[in-house]
Amino acid sequence: MTRRKLLPLVKMLPLVIAASAAAWQPVPAAAVRMETFILDLQIEDTHQQNTMVVEFQPGLTVVTYYNEFGDKEVAFFEPPHRLMRAMYYNPERRLTSQTVYHYREKYLEMKGDLNVRYPLEGDIFDNSGSLFYLFSVFQPPVNGRLNFKLVQSNLSRIPDPFLRFLIAQLVGPVPMYLKHVKTENLAWQSSEVSALCFELAIAEGRLASFWPYKYYFWYDAKRQRLLQHQGQTTDKKMAVYRVIDSYEWEKPEPELPTL
């Protein structure tokens, strides 16, 4: 190539370099929508605040719940309700157990205090605080009933090793039902709202004789949002969870280079 033909290319080189550098500049990614729920837990005359945070990522919803023991429970859902994985951390934030849902292979595996596998048939969920979120997006109709199975994955709060073995190895996923039982006005944040009340209980008669208690969830009938939950603790005390505040916010994602 002659010097005369090469000269225009040399003059264009700074423009090419500048354009390439501009293409590699970091660009802000879209912020992730978050929603935080503050819950008041009342057991007899005692009160304690717990927090649930819902993170709406593209194609994934992450529900993080901090329970009354200081444990951290994290559940990963494919929107709106298919559970992919659940992880449990103790107050020192050490991973104590987790479940992984293998839908293609049709089994779920539980790892931690005990390592077991269960067949994955129908709707199966973990028994964790993420049920508060799940039932608000996966309600049966008011004249119907939702049947599913519940896995007790977080065994760290069951001190008896023999009882943990029975629950994990012999009982496995427990058949449950969720059904609408009434609609009533519920006091909430200095006002009254029309609330759908759903009943949750063991559907299998033989298992129900060991734990005959029922649980109740109240939702805003208009917005279908969690308002209150009531149930029995492992030491047979009545526990009432009330949403005392909720707010939405955005979490900025780190800036990433683009081509």
Side-chain angles (χ1 to χ4, degrees), residues 2-62:
T2 66
R3 186 172 184 276
R4 180 175 295 179
K5 291 182 179 179
L6 183 62
L7 188 59
L9 296 179
V10 172
K11 290 181 178 180
M12 291 177 59
L13 188 59
L15 297 178
V16 174
I17 295 174
S20 300
W24 279 93
Q25 290 298 314
V27 295
V32 174
R33 185 167 69 90
M34 310 284 292
E35 190 165 9
T36 296
F37 296 86
I38 308 299
L39 299 99
D40 173 71
L41 167 60
Q42 180 180 358
I43 300 177
E44 296 179 339
D45 295 329
T46 65
H47 290 264
Q48 177 184 335
Q49 283 193 9
N50 297 337
T51 304
M52 181 175 71
V53 180
V54 184
E55 179 177 340
F56 301 95
Q57 300 180 8
L60 187 69
T61 300
V62 183

Side-chain angles (χ1 to χ4, degrees), residues 92-133:
E92 289 72 40
R93 297 300 179 256
R94 181 180 65 84
L95 180 65
T96 58
S97 61
Q98 63 176 317
T99 51
V100 180
Y101 289 69
H102 301 275
Y103 289 96
R104 179 174 298 179
E105 296 83 2
K106 297 187 182 303
Y107 76 91
L108 67 88
E109 57 181 337
M110 187 169 72
K111 303 177 181 179
D113 295 316
L114 292 170
N115 298 319
V116 293
R117 286 191 178 191
Y118 304 125
L120 185 53
E121 301 171 347
D123 291 313
I124 302 181
F125 305 111
D126 269 44
N127 184 19
S128 72
S130 67
L131 292 178
F132 296 162
Y133 162 77

Side-chain angles (χ1 to χ4, degrees), residues 150-205:
L150 204 58
V151 178
Q152 185 62 49
S153 297
N154 189 8
L155 299 174
S156 62
R157 291 296 161 186
I158 301 175
D160 186 345
F162 181 68
L163 184 56
R164 290 200 300 267
F165 173 81
L166 289 179
I167 292 173
Q169 298 285 4
L170 299 183
V171 177
V174 178
M176 307 287 292
Y177 71 82
L178 181 73
K179 69 176 182 180
H180 174 257
V181 290
K182 58 184 176 181
T183 301
E184 61 182 354
N185 290 331
L186 187 70
W188 189 70
Q189 291 188 345
S190 70
S191 63
E192 280 194 348
V193 298
S194 177
L196 300 171
C197 180
F198 289 87
E199 178 182 274
L200 173 70
I202 295 178
E204 170 60 50

Side-chain angles (χ1 to χ4, degrees), residues 70-74 87-91 93-97:
D71 301 335
K72 178 182 176 182
E73 308 171 351
V74 187
M87 308 176 73
Y88 300 90
Y89 300 83
N90 65 10
R93 297 300 179 256
R94 181 180 65 84
L95 180 65
T96 58
S97 61

